[in-house]
Amino acid sequence: MKKLTFAVILAACSFLFGEAYQVNTLSARQLGMAHTGAGLKLGSESMHFNPGALGFLDSKFDASGGVTMIIPKVQFWGVNGHATPENNPSTPVYFYAAGNIKRLISLGLSFTTPYGNSASWDKNWEGAGLIQDISLKVFALQPTFAVNILDKVSVGAGPTINFGNFEQSKQLAPIKSLEAYRPLAYYDSDVGQILDRNKDGVNLELSGKADVAVGVNAGILFEAIKDKLAFGVSYRSGVKAKVSKGDAKIAAGNDIDSLNRIISRINSSSPEPAAPNIPPELTMFNSKTFEAELPLPANMNVGVSFRPVEKLLLDFDLQWVNWGAYDKLNLVFHNITTVVNPKKYENTFAYRLGTQIGLHEKFDLRFGIYYDQTPVPDDFLNPETPSTNKLGVTTGGSFRPVEMLSIDFAFLYSHGFNRDGSCPNPPGRFSGGYKVEAFVPSIGLSFKF
């Protein structure tokens, strides 16, 4: 099989990566504290933040669920001016349920959406050859088992069962690129109709489902001083999400095939060719399958929580993300070509600080701040993942109308620091500047008895 790199499909499946794709909004309660939690006893929500802490569950049953609305705003400045995609809000959800079956043993099950994003650029914008539309989701199920040891240490772990789907489109040929064939309408009137239908260019549409990929999430929590000081470490392993049978389709595939047949018929009946055939890159991917293997990066979180007085809680998390696993992406179109797409992502850290203030027995108030590094080098910055270093500020709270029920809410503003960069786009490079920000409200319910 030949190995080629086509501009028309370069970066075709980087849809899964960039820190803009990893969702850190999987608890309305903890989002108010900058999404900290590795060093906290969070009941059923510990299954995501630190499975080890689940062993400190102090109720027979604990459940939490909620939804977040991520409203991003991306702006691009390039050679041809300014462009802004229509960023449809994404709505990651979470659900946790756990129980204490014995005094020292807890079991639970979680369902989360740890990765997801969507965006829609203008069909003929400057970077349409890299991306037009993208929509992607990854879901994770995690059964969890935890054991409390000597009332001071708890360890826990569970498999993460990941699955998902995506859709993406990009431009193969720009607007009016087929107009050179307009004179053939003299020989066949169908040519004019075909060109009119495809005056906005020729687009490639990709879609697929990722096979189930299994990893592990494990952790330990040490409560040095009861209800005062605790330390925690958690590790969520990386996994390879394989798309074994994705679908590729040329949006105007039938029209392109018809135009090619008309050209062949006209050329065969003329002493000299009236027009060249359609370039192969505009037809070769139609109704084809492809495969790719994509890394979901490992995460390690180290946290410490401190309660200096009963109504004040402070928490700090250091999050390490193994984005360095995303060095390149091989995209194999069956029986056609293999695209080797370098990414060169780098490992990153996020620094998170949160606080909770107990204002009343029925109400808690929360604040947080974090700094999240970008994994994308300047030489590989593209509009699919317009990644920047980010500063986030959060606030939120919980209201308990009755003892067993808590209504949790939070709001995050994420500010991306402006940056310029470029990415491979044969025969040259695609360059520009990006500004990224996001507004993220979240609401959830917690219940225990």
Side-chain angles (χ1 to χ4, degrees):
M1 182 180 292
K2 295 183 292 182
K3 291 189 176 182
L4 304 173
T5 301
F6 291 101
V8 298
I9 53 175
L10 188 66
C13 280
S14 66
F15 52 84
L16 239 115
F17 301 98
E19 94 294 357
Y21 182 75
Q22 178 162 290
V23 176
N24 288 301
T25 62
L26 298 179
S27 163
R29 184 168 55 190
Q30 293 315 114
L31 184 61
M33 296 178 65
H35 214 247
T36 57
L40 290 171
K41 297 182 290 184
L42 299 175
S44 61
E45 293 187 357
S46 292
M47 284 185 281
H48 173 74
F49 294 92
N50 182 350
L54 188 66
F56 284 99
L57 189 67
D58 59 0
S59 56
K60 292 182 179 180
F61 180 78
D62 185 294
S64 175
V67 61
T68 300
M69 180 176 289
I70 301 176
I71 308 170
K73 183 178 180 181
V74 179
Q75 299 182 63
F76 170 81
W77 289 268
V79 175
N80 296 327
H82 175 260
T84 300
E86 179 183 344
N87 290 104
N88 300 319
S90 55
T91 54
V93 298
Y94 64 87
F95 177 76
Y96 308 95
N100 191 300
I101 60 173
K102 291 186 177 181
R103 191 177 70 85
L104 302 178
I105 299 175
S106 298
L107 296 175
L109 178 67
S110 69
F111 174 81
T112 59
T113 48
Y115 299 89
N117 196 15
S118 64
S120 179
W121 296 81
D122 185 82
K123 295 296 183 184
N124 290 293
W125 80 289
E126 185 177 338
L130 291 169
I131 184 67
Q132 290 173 324
D133 301 289
I134 186 169
S135 175
L136 46 125
K137 297 177 182 178
V138 172
F139 307 96
L141 280 172
Q142 180 185 316
T144 305
F145 174 84
V147 179
N148 189 308
I149 306 171
L150 301 176
D151 290 331
K152 283 187 172 292
V153 178
S154 177
V155 294
T160 59
I161 305 166
N162 303 275
F163 54 97
N165 57 73
F166 80 97
E167 294 179 354
Q168 183 178 8
S169 69
K170 55 179 62 239
Q171 191 177 76
L172 296 182
I175 186 171
K176 296 183 179 180
S177 58
L178 300 179
E179 282 300 307
Y181 296 97
R182 180 72 67 174
L184 295 182
Y186 174 80
Y187 302 96
D188 192 319
S189 60
D190 287 345
V191 171
Q193 299 177 29
I194 291 173
L195 300 185
D196 290 341
R197 285 196 295 269
N198 297 283
K199 60 184 178 181
D200 290 334
V202 180
N203 303 322
L204 172 66
E205 298 175 352
L206 302 173
S207 62
K209 293 183 178 181
D211 301 339
V212 173
V214 180
V216 65
N217 190 7
I220 181 170
L221 186 73
F222 170 56
E223 192 174 37
I225 304 175
K226 186 173 178 61
D227 296 327
K228 290 284 187 180
L229 180 65
F231 303 91
V233 179
S234 68
Y235 178 77
R236 186 167 66 250
S237 69
V239 297
K240 297 287 187 179
K242 183 176 182 179
V243 178
S244 57
K245 197 174 182 181
D247 296 317
K249 181 177 70 174
I250 305 297
N254 293 334
D255 278 346
I256 298 297
D257 290 341
S258 296
L259 184 58
N260 248 341
R261 287 193 294 269
I262 292 172
I263 293 172
S264 296
R265 189 181 70 248
I266 294 173
N267 286 343
S268 64
S269 61
S270 302
E272 295 184 4
N277 288 332
I278 301 295
E281 59 265 28
L282 300 190
T283 60
M284 64 189 299
F285 303 111
N286 194 37
S287 299
K288 297 298 189 297
T289 60
F290 66 89
E291 65 180 61
E293 190 173 79
L294 312 161
L296 299 178
N299 281 249
M300 176 174 284
N301 294 271
V302 178
V304 56
S305 64
F306 176 56
R307 192 183 297 271
V309 295
E310 182 180 356
K311 295 186 179 297
L312 178 63
L313 174 64
L314 304 173
D315 190 44
F316 173 76
D317 274 17
L318 175 64
Q319 180 184 14
W320 172 80
V321 186
N322 184 30
W323 285 117
Y326 192 31
D327 180 65
K328 63 181 178 180
L329 175 72
N330 292 341
L331 184 63
V332 180
F333 284 83
H334 295 164
N335 301 319
I336 303 177
T337 186
T338 296
V339 178
V340 180
N341 186 11
K343 289 299 178 183
K344 306 298 182 183
Y345 276 28
E346 300 168 348
N347 296 336
T348 64
F349 286 96
Y351 309 87
R352 304 178 183 275
L353 178 64
T355 183
Q356 175 179 289
I357 304 169
L359 296 181
H360 187 270
E361 62 179 11
K362 292 184 178 293
F363 187 76
D364 296 325
L365 185 63
R366 302 183 181 96
F367 300 97
I369 187 169
Y370 70 80
Y371 178 76
D372 193 0
Q373 297 175 332
T374 174
V376 183
D378 288 345
D379 290 343
F380 293 89
L381 181 61
N382 67 67
E384 298 171 27
T385 51
S387 177
T388 68
N389 293 324
K390 298 190 301 296
L391 180 69
V393 292
T394 71
T395 187
S398 291
F399 172 63
R400 292 174 291 277
V402 295
E403 183 178 357
M404 295 187 300
L405 178 66
S406 175
I407 302 171
D408 309 313
F409 53 90
F411 181 81
L412 156 68
Y413 171 69
S414 176
H415 173 78
F417 295 95
N418 296 5
R419 68 182 300 199
D420 297 323
S422 64
C423 65
N425 186 28
R429 297 186 67 83
F430 179 81
S431 302
Y434 298 87
K435 179 180 179 181
V436 182
E437 58 184 345
F439 305 87
V440 186
S442 180
I443 188 166
L445 293 175
S446 304
F447 175 79
K448 66 178 181 179
F449 61 83

